């Protein structure tokens, strides 16, 4: 982990690029690629959910509702778009994020007059949720949900800014329910403020770069404005809000300023189509009061797809998968000698099923990896560990490894009564969960046998010899190796040569099946 101390950068505010990490800029860069669908035709808010569900592309709606508003959906619902956001290949994302977590945090304060997100400031009655393009996402939801909001709040204990992703259920022009049931830093900060009888100022950013969404879900002990900067790999310009003291990225699209009132978990919120693919029921939750809306002049509103049957195409599953992979990497780095790859499946919601590839250096490392993963995150439920030759992003390779390297009575590890994600419907209301590890690695040291080697088409490039006998006198060789040794692209002449050698001097086979010369005299 890098320096946890937040530096207030002395970079002049004019030197900070306020467009580079702007959401609209990211979307513009997707134009003309397979990643983006642009919908110019008039679309009602009611139609939005069906157009986003299961859609592998991000969708830019150019004409929503009677006011022809712009709305962006599904921007973070694919790994390839995250790869673009971080400028690396999909398979390298977790490693890249790990690397960026060592960047120095640079936070640059910008006066409101220079902050793009305060180009338009609406307070009093002008601050109104019902002027925003907020759509009904699932048939039984308790109302319209702002699903892509990132909340910024001040932690009175540390003075740091806390950042998270939390949905808002619009309850009126200036009231919304926030889901604050799961254990989180914001919940702890809020409960401390309720205990003091005080409301908690919170500001929601709606519309921001995909990288900021990853910052919102990572838990590292730093000021999380600094975390945004570390992950961006650039100074983050921040501006103080107009009606509270919270600071937010000045290059955001929209900011919804306000506070959670001091009544605690007082009002019903939900049902809502949740991150595991099922509805969560009605919960008692705090109420957010809107005090101001600030935005860019051409601000782009954002919605995230959550829940449903096609989990891999939801924003939550993709964001959660990256978060899971980063957290597991961090745990594995101390638990095993050589972690090779980590992959969280998005079809399981991005955290329940985790695949790990390791290079075993000592016996027992498969089990170490399993136990490290069990403890790394509450949400992890089933862990699958394989050797480094398996491509863990491939369902086919994982199925094959399970079929051929795994014994149910030898390789299963079950841990009971661990911290659970209460939304898991298989818990039947219990508060703790079982976690299962599947050790699909070869028993230590077994990986050298011919029976554990994976056949592949011949591709030998060996030292050349005049004859098969000369090649064998140099050492034992596979048949294909012998072909290469004598320059044969056919093989039949090697059969004949071996046949001739069989009696004089004599041919043997070693434990690997290679041909050897044996002296029969
Ligand atoms: C798209 C998305 C929506 C989320 N919505 C909620 C939510 O409504 N309530 C919640 O408690 N957690 C939600 N989460 C998970 C939290 O954002 C996550 O646990 C975060 O780390 C909490 O931050 P904090 O501990 O700094 O407060 C959501 C995550 C994502 C990716």
């Amino acid at each position: 982990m890098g320096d946890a101390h937040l530096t207030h950068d002395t970079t002049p505010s004019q030197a900070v690029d306020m467009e580079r990490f702007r959401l609209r800029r990211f979307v513009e860069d997707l134009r003309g690629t397979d990643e983006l669908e642009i919908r110019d035709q008039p679309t009602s808010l009611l139609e939005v959910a069906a157009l986003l569900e299961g859609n592998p592309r991000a969708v830019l709606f150019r004409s929503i509702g009677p006011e022809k508003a712009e709305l962006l959906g599904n921007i973070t619902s694919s790994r390839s778009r995250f790869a673009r956001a971080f400028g690396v290949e999909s398979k390298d994302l977790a490693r890249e994020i790990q690397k960026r977590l060592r960047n120095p945090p640079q936070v640059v304060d910008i006066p409101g007059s220079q902050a793009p997100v305060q180009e338009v400031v609406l307070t009093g009655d002008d601050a109104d949720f019902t002027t925003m393009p907020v759509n009904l996402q699932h048939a039984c939801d308790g109302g319209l949900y702002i699903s892509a909001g990132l909340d910024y709040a001040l932690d009175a204990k540390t003075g740091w800014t806390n950042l998270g992703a939390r949905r808002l259920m619009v309850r009126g022009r200036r009231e919304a329910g926030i889901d604050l049931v799961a254990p989180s830093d914001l919940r702890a900060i809020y409960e401390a403020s309720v205990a003091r009888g005080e409301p908690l100022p919170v500001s929601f950013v709606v519309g921001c770069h995909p990288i900021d969404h990853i910052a919102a879900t990572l838990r590292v002990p730093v000021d999380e404005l600094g975390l945004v900067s570390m992950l961006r790999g650039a100074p983050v310009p921040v501006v103080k809000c107009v009606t509270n003291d919270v600071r937010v990225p000045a290059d955001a699209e929209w900011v919804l300023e306000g506070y959670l009132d001091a009544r605690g978990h007082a009002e019903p919120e939900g049902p809502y189509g949740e991150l595991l693919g099922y509805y969560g029921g009605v919960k008692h939750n705090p109420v957010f009061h809107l005090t101001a809306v600030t935005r860019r002049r051409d601000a782009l509103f954002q919605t995230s797809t959550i829940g449903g049957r096609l989990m891999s195409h939801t924003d939550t599953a993709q964001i959660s998968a990256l978060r899971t992979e980063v957290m597991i990497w961090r745990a594995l780095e101390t638990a095993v000698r050589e972690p090779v790859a980590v992959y969280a499946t998005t079809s399981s919601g991005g955290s329940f099923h985790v695949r790990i590839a390791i290079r075993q250096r000592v016996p027992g490392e498969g089990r170490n990896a399993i136990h490290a993963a069990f403890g790394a995150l509450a949400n992890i439920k089933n862990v699958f560990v394989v050797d480094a030759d398996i491509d863990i992003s491939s369902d086919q390779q994982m199925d094959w490894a399970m079929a051929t390297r795994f014994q149910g009575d030898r390789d299963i590890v079950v841990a009971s009564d661990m911290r659970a994600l209460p939304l898991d419907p298989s818990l039947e209301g219990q508060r703790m969960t079982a976690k299962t590890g599947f050790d699909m690695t070869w028993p230590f040291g077994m990986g050298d046998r011919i029976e554990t080697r994976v056949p592949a088409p011949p591709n030998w490039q060996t030292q050349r010899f005049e004859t098969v006998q000369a090649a064998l006198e140099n050492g034992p060789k596979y048949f294909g190796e012998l072909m290469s040794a004598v320059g044969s692209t056919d093989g039949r002449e090697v059969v004949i040569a071996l046949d001739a050698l069989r009696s004089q001097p004599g041919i043997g086979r070693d434990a690997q099946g290679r041909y050897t010369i044996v002296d029969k005299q």
Side-chain angles (χ1 to χ4, degrees):
M1 187 62 254
D3 184 359
H5 185 72
L6 179 68
T7 58
H8 278 275
D9 209 273
T10 47
T11 313
S13 56
Q14 304 90 305
V16 183
D17 188 341
M18 310 257 211
E19 300 305 306
R20 183 170 160 214
F21 291 96
R22 179 180 182 189
L23 177 62
R24 189 183 283 283
R25 162 94 172 261
F26 183 74
V27 179
E28 286 301 323
D29 288 347
L30 298 181
R31 255 177 206 276
T33 72
D34 231 17
E35 300 281 1
L36 181 69
E37 179 181 328
I38 298 178
R39 205 177 149 82
D40 286 313
Q41 60 267 51
T43 308
S44 72
L45 279 169
L46 183 60
E47 292 171 288
V48 168
L51 291 164
L52 292 177
E53 162 117 335
N55 190 338
R57 299 201 177 100
V59 184
L60 177 61
F61 299 91
R62 304 287 303 277
S63 182
I64 292 277
E67 71 272 41
K68 301 186 173 21
E70 271 191 308
L71 175 66
L72 176 70
N74 283 5
I75 195 72
T76 56
S77 68
S78 94
R79 206 172 174 96
S80 54
R81 289 194 282 284
F82 269 118
R84 279 173 183 268
F86 281 95
V88 294
E89 282 186 42
S90 296
K91 66 176 176 45
D92 297 326
L93 273 165
R95 219 181 283 260
E96 175 68 16
I97 294 170
Q98 277 281 96
K99 201 175 90 194
R100 291 191 186 203
L101 286 173
R102 289 189 283 273
N103 284 336
Q106 294 171 277
V107 176
V108 181
D109 283 288
I110 302 287
S113 57
Q114 287 173 29
V117 78
Q118 292 185 359
E119 283 169 358
V120 178
V121 175
L122 303 165
T123 54
D125 286 355
D126 292 335
D128 185 340
F129 284 125
T130 65
T131 61
M132 303 167 200
V134 186
N135 67 304
L136 183 67
Q137 294 193 280
H138 317 99
C140 300
D141 282 0
L144 309 179
Y145 272 87
I146 298 173
S147 57
L150 301 189
D151 50 84
Y152 290 80
L154 284 169
D155 183 348
K157 223 164 54 192
T158 58
W160 287 350
T161 299
N162 186 70
L163 165 60
R166 254 139 314 222
R167 65 189 189 223
L168 286 174
M169 184 183 94
V170 175
R171 290 163 50 91
R173 289 181 187 280
R174 273 169 288 284
E175 256 190 44
I178 177 176
D179 171 32
L180 208 51
V181 170
S184 69
D185 291 340
L186 184 66
R187 183 173 137 180
I189 293 166
Y190 175 64
E191 284 172 353
S193 117
V194 170
R196 294 191 302 269
E198 292 168 9
L200 179 73
V202 179
S203 293
F204 284 82
V205 162
V206 182
C208 59
H209 196 276
I211 289 177
D212 298 9
H213 289 263
I214 299 299
T217 51
L218 282 183
R219 280 201 80 199
V220 279
V222 291
D223 182 303
E224 293 183 327
L225 282 172
L227 183 57
V228 172
S229 150
M230 289 152 75
L231 290 191
R232 288 185 181 187
V236 58
V238 301
V239 63
K240 197 179 85 58
C241 290
V242 177
T243 55
N244 64 32
D245 288 335
V246 177
R247 291 181 308 150
V248 292
D251 53 4
E253 301 285 334
W254 291 72
V255 174
L256 317 181
E257 301 182 6
Y259 61 90
L260 303 180
D261 70 39
R263 288 180 300 150
H265 291 66
E267 294 288 343
E269 180 272 337
Y272 184 65
E274 281 280 6
L275 74 158
L276 290 180
Y278 304 91
Y279 282 103
V282 176
K283 307 166 185 171
H284 274 82
N285 260 316
V287 174
F288 175 75
H289 299 264
L290 184 68
T291 54
V293 174
T294 74
R295 60 174 174 82
R296 287 176 181 260
R297 231 168 265 122
D298 60 345
L300 181 55
F301 208 79
Q302 187 183 353
T303 182
S304 290
T305 301
I306 297 169
R309 207 168 272 280
L310 300 163
M311 294 294 287
S312 289
H313 295 303
T314 62
D315 294 78
T316 21
Q318 293 291 345
I319 294 168
S320 300
L322 285 183
R323 173 183 71 153
T324 303
E325 289 169 17
V326 172
M327 300 309 279
I328 300 280
W329 259 116
R330 292 163 76 89
L332 286 179
E333 273 172 352
T334 49
V336 296
R337 290 253 158 204
E338 201 177 340
V340 173
V342 180
Y343 182 80
T345 68
T346 46
S347 39
S348 72
S351 62
F352 267 28
H353 285 181
V354 173
R355 300 169 177 176
I356 296 169
I358 59 170
R359 198 163 280 118
Q360 299 186 66
R361 299 251 203 102
V362 280
E365 290 207 295
R367 303 294 164 110
N368 264 42
I370 287 170
H371 287 285
F374 280 174
L377 268 180
N379 297 9
I380 285 161
K381 193 168 158 191
N382 297 318
V383 179
F384 306 83
V385 184
V386 292
D387 286 299
D389 65 307
I390 296 290
D391 173 3
I392 57 173
S393 68
S394 158
D395 292 351
Q396 290 195 31
Q397 292 222 353
M398 290 301 289
D399 193 40
W400 172 58
M402 169 76 99
T404 57
R405 304 183 184 188
F406 170 80
Q407 286 288 312
D409 60 357
R410 185 190 64 195
D411 297 324
I412 285 191
V413 179
V414 180
S416 305
D417 298 333
M418 294 199 71
R419 199 180 125 190
L421 183 65
L423 280 173
D424 178 355
S426 71
L427 287 172
E428 294 184 291
Q430 290 184 77
R431 296 189 57 200
M432 290 185 291
T433 189
K435 299 194 176 203
T436 310
F438 299 82
D439 185 351
M440 290 144 61
T441 58
W442 293 117
F444 189 77
M446 186 177 158
D448 291 339
R449 292 168 43 188
I450 183 78
E451 288 84 358
T452 64
R453 279 179 69 171
V454 182
N459 185 25
W460 294 101
Q461 266 137 27
T462 60
Q463 189 190 339
R464 285 296 179 87
F465 296 90
E466 284 297 313
T467 62
V468 167
Q469 180 167 353
L472 287 177
E473 277 164 358
N474 178 254
K477 296 206 169 32
Y478 290 105
F479 185 88
E481 219 175 347
L482 281 174
M483 284 176 62
S484 168
V486 297
S488 165
T489 55
D490 188 304
R492 286 173 286 190
E493 66 275 44
V494 176
V495 172
I496 293 166
L498 280 173
D499 197 27
L501 286 173
R502 210 151 258 135
S503 50
Q504 196 50 256
I507 296 287
R509 310 293 293 279
D510 71 6
Q512 304 285 317
R514 291 177 299 187
Y515 290 90
T516 55
I517 292 275
V518 287
D519 195 350
K520 286 218 168 144
Q521 314 238 312

